[in-house]
Amino acid sequence: LEVVNVGMFQDVRKTLAAKHEITQALLMERLVRRLRIQMDETTSDFRSLVAKITKPPKNVVELVKMRHSMDELPNAISEIQRRIQQHVRLYEEVEGFCHQLSPEDFRMRWDLVAGPYRARHLLAQKAIALQEHEAEFVRELLREQDELQERLREIEETLHLFRSSPAYWDISSLSMAREAAESLLERIEQAQEDSKNINQTEITLERKATDYTQIHRYSFDFNPFYQLWAIVYAFHEDQTKFRLGAIADKDALRRKLIQTYQVLEKTVKTLQTSTWPAPIVQLGENQLLQMEEFQLLLLSESSRQPDDSDADG
């Protein structure tokens, strides 16, 4: 009877079994690593989605964008839920190989499973919250409208004061009139800016835009009055500096005077056809005459300079 020695084959079998176990362990490690990476990515995407749902709007523009995105968010939740279901199947396959996953893996799995239900609950709350935010923005809009209307009444009263009070027609009130005119100009410009913002908010909230054309009328009516006092003030400042010898370049001053004269001439013509009182028009006409006289003075000064140089020589 022949005896066969199988010891060598037993060694081969053990070696192959060991390699198989190593290969299986490596494959399982890669599978678990892929599962964890996918669950981490989905968890991160889910947190971003929750942050988007729970973020409050800072202004009406964000409110409208969020309101429009409400139609897209259910699809985004469904897409994340589909991914989560894939992760759960892979998780169960790993468990089917009797591989012991960590408590952190277990916690992440159930957090993900519960995620879509939590997101849909937050989405329902978001719809209610947006209505409350819109109501607050509307209340703020109404407050801004009331405030602007009050400021417009004050602007109209100031314009009436400028038209009716002789203190604002007299050259002796130059500094006071100029400062008052600058203050009113700033208020009109601010009212124009605020009216644009209010109208934009009204349009964004799909409300009827308030008519603020009166502000443009205020600006149109007031501009020649403001121009008059701004020009007159600058002209008197230049005259004072000239008398004090604080202006070295008289030619530059003369060129500036010519340009200022042209602007004032147009301003006076506008005042002549406006509803401003006659003394205001007269003030502008008198300043034109003074500018002409000052121009002659500058020409005279320029013509004397060469003679003075010759005399010194």
Side-chain angles (χ1 to χ4, degrees):
L1 184 63
E2 184 178 0
V3 178
V4 179
N5 185 0
V6 296
M8 180 180 66
F9 294 103
Q10 289 176 344
D11 293 339
V12 171
R13 182 172 63 82
K14 290 179 181 179
T15 301
L16 291 175
K19 289 184 176 180
H20 177 73
E21 289 177 0
I22 293 173
T23 302
Q24 184 180 12
L26 290 173
L27 289 174
M28 183 57 63
E29 183 181 345
R30 291 186 60 184
L31 188 63
V32 171
R33 188 185 307 117
R34 189 182 73 176
L35 172 63
R36 287 170 176 163
I37 291 174
Q38 290 178 350
M39 288 199 300
D40 283 340
E41 291 176 348
T42 302
T43 298
S44 177
D45 292 344
F46 176 73
R47 287 172 179 167
S48 298
L49 180 61
V50 169
K52 184 177 181 180
I53 293 174
T54 56
K55 178 184 177 183
K58 296 179 181 179
N59 49 54
V60 292
V61 175
E62 287 190 4
L63 171 72
V64 172
K65 288 182 179 179
M66 289 180 183
R67 199 160 55 191
H68 291 164
S69 69
M70 291 291 288
D71 297 332
E72 303 170 358
L73 290 175
N75 293 333
I77 296 173
S78 297
E79 172 58 24
I80 284 185
Q81 187 172 27
R82 184 189 63 78
R83 290 165 55 184
I84 292 172
Q85 290 170 349
Q86 292 177 346
H87 304 336
V88 170
R89 284 195 294 268
L90 183 57
Y91 189 101
E92 292 173 348
E93 288 177 8
V94 171
E95 284 187 325
F97 287 105
C98 298
H99 182 83
Q100 185 66 36
L101 290 163
S102 69
E104 178 63 21
D105 295 326
F106 181 82
R107 183 195 62 78
M108 186 177 293
R109 169 193 173 174
W110 289 110
D111 284 347
L112 285 172
V113 169
Y117 302 98
R118 175 171 172 248
R120 290 190 176 96
H121 176 69
L122 291 173
L123 192 60
Q125 291 181 324
K126 177 76 168 187
I128 299 174
L130 288 181
Q131 294 178 351
E132 294 173 351
H133 283 298
E134 181 175 358
E136 177 57 34
F137 287 136
V138 169
R139 286 192 291 271
E140 178 63 25
L141 172 64
L142 294 176
R143 285 194 293 270
E144 291 175 356
Q145 289 173 334
D146 291 342
E147 180 186 339
L148 180 57
Q149 286 297 338
E150 179 61 28
R151 286 189 282 137
L152 293 182
R153 282 192 290 270
E154 292 175 356
I155 288 173
E156 190 163 2
E157 290 173 359
T158 305
L159 278 171
H160 177 72
L161 179 65
F162 286 168
R163 293 179 187 277
S164 58
S165 176
Y168 297 99
W169 312 339
D170 193 342
I171 194 64
S172 63
S173 305
L174 176 57
S175 296
M176 182 271 291
R178 175 245 186 180
E179 290 176 5
E182 282 192 347
S183 174
L184 182 58
L185 178 67
E186 292 175 0
R187 287 154 58 193
I188 292 175
E189 290 177 345
Q190 186 61 55
Q192 288 177 323
E193 184 66 25
D194 292 343
S195 68
K196 291 178 183 178
N197 293 335
I198 288 175
N199 284 157
Q200 185 60 53
T201 301
E202 291 169 332
I203 293 171
T204 304
L205 291 173
E206 299 179 351
R207 299 170 68 90
K208 182 180 179 181
T210 305
D211 183 6
Y212 289 116
T213 52
Q214 66 196 95
I215 303 177
H216 300 288
R217 187 176 71 252
Y218 293 157
S219 178
F220 181 80
D221 291 345
F222 176 65
N223 188 62
F225 180 86
Y226 168 77
Q227 285 284 356
L228 171 65
W229 281 112
I231 292 172
V232 170
Y233 183 84
F235 170 58
H236 280 255
E237 285 282 291
D238 287 340
Q239 279 186 312
T240 301
K241 291 178 182 178
F242 177 78
R243 293 192 185 98
L244 295 175
I247 296 180
D249 192 346
K250 296 182 177 60
D251 288 336
L253 176 60
R254 188 160 53 85
R255 289 191 298 270
K256 176 184 176 182
L257 182 61
I258 292 173
Q259 295 176 347
T260 304
Y261 182 92
Q262 293 173 345
V263 175
L264 180 59
E265 192 174 34
K266 292 180 181 179
T267 301
V268 171
K269 289 180 180 179
T270 303
L271 288 168
Q272 289 171 341
T273 59
S274 70
T275 57
W276 285 96
I280 290 292
V281 179
Q282 186 63 48
L283 173 65
E285 292 172 346
N286 292 339
Q287 293 305 302
L288 285 174
L289 293 175
Q290 288 190 28
M291 284 185 177
E292 292 173 0
E293 294 174 358
F294 190 54
Q295 176 76 358
L296 293 175
L297 177 61
L298 290 176
L299 288 173
S300 175
E301 288 283 333
S302 299
S303 63
R304 281 203 302 267
Q305 285 179 0
D307 295 339
D308 295 341
S309 299
D310 293 342
D312 293 340

